Amino acid sequence: MVKTNYKKIPQYLLIEMAQKDNMQALEELLRRVQKDIFGIFSHICKKREIVSDLTQDTLVKIAKNITKLHDNKSFKSWSNRIALNIFYDFLKKDTRLNTSLSIDDDENVTQIKDEKEEPMEKCLASELGCKIKNCILSLPINSRVAIVLREFEGMSYDDIATLTQTSIGTVKSRISRARVKLQEELGDYL
């Protein structure tokens, strides 16, 4: 019996196999998208402790609904839509998420590690990383989602508009305002 190496199988084949109840293919597919989903949530959620829960909820929903995906090429948009729906549902349930963020709160400090840097560079990089994350978290939720999808996920304006169910003009406007706000806040660092 030949053991299949699922790590070498292209994503579109994994999707097809998962849709035919191949659990190992589904497991590999979820392993591949887990980091991206976690990344989205880590940039749009103000509470670090819920990022893992939202990621897990998204992966479970993807697994349960994989047979409903009709076009394998739209998997990324489809999975991102699931993630955003779960996030918006969470926002509706937990209004406490909209509280202000303190940059003195240890939970919100992002560490950027690079052993090659000198102590001063490490300090500045850590401070900049923390400042960037806090600036993104201070944006209105719609702008935050748009800028994260564009800058961290590399999605096109068209895909973001489809995903957020808004017009391209609205997406461009939200991203533009977010960039201006980030430039204002980060001016001393750039």
Side-chain angles (χ1 to χ4, degrees):
M1 182 173 174
V2 177
K3 186 175 179 180
T4 304
N5 186 352
Y6 288 89
K7 291 182 179 183
K8 293 183 179 182
I9 296 176
Q11 181 173 300
Y12 76 94
L13 287 177
L14 286 174
I15 294 168
E16 289 176 10
M17 294 166 74
Q19 289 174 327
K20 294 176 183 171
D21 294 329
N22 183 322
M23 289 302 121
Q24 291 174 315
L26 179 60
E27 184 179 318
E28 175 62 23
L29 182 64
L30 294 176
R31 187 192 62 73
R32 289 184 189 180
V33 299
Q34 179 179 0
K35 187 176 181 181
D36 291 337
I37 300 293
F38 186 88
I40 290 171
F41 287 133
S42 68
H43 287 97
I44 63 175
C45 292
K46 290 185 177 182
K47 292 183 177 180
R48 179 185 287 176
E49 66 271 10
I50 65 160
V51 171
S52 294
D53 292 340
L54 293 175
T55 301
Q56 186 67 29
D57 291 347
T58 302
L59 294 175
V60 167
K61 194 158 190 178
I62 289 170
K64 285 182 179 178
N65 294 294
I66 192 72
T67 57
K68 296 179 182 177
L69 177 64
H70 299 294
D71 181 12
N72 292 351
K73 293 177 184 173
S74 65
F75 178 76
K76 184 171 182 163
S77 294
W78 178 77
S79 60
N80 285 342
R81 164 67 25 221
I82 290 172
L84 287 180
N85 286 341
I86 286 174
F87 178 68
Y88 289 135
D89 288 345
F90 174 79
L91 283 180
K92 289 175 191 172
K93 291 177 188 174
D94 186 27
T95 57
R96 293 173 287 139
L97 187 65
N98 294 322
T99 60
S100 63
L101 177 67
S102 168
I103 60 172
D104 297 326
D105 187 355
D106 288 340
E107 278 189 332
N108 299 309
V109 176
T110 301
Q111 298 295 325
I112 301 174
K113 297 179 181 175
D114 184 355
E115 279 68 34
K116 296 177 186 173
E117 293 179 317
E118 296 297 319
M120 184 59 144
E121 284 80 20
K122 283 184 183 180
C123 180
L124 291 174
S126 177
E127 183 179 345
L128 178 59
C130 182
K131 184 72 174 171
I132 289 170
K133 183 162 186 164
N134 289 333
C135 287
I136 290 172
L137 290 173
S138 73
L139 296 170
I141 188 65
N142 292 329
S143 296
R144 190 182 330 153
V145 168
I147 196 81
V148 166
L149 292 175
R150 178 70 179 165
E151 299 301 333
F152 293 96
E153 289 297 306
M155 294 179 71
S156 69
Y157 292 114
D158 291 334
D159 289 343
I160 296 170
T162 301
L163 191 61
T164 58
Q165 299 174 339
T166 56
S167 70
I168 293 174
T170 300
V171 169
K172 288 181 178 180
S173 174
R174 288 175 180 168
I175 291 172
S176 176
R177 279 181 278 171
R179 286 178 177 158
V180 167
K181 171 93 169 153
L182 292 172
Q183 286 175 345
E184 288 172 359
E185 295 290 323
L186 300 171
D188 293 341
Y189 293 90
L190 302 176

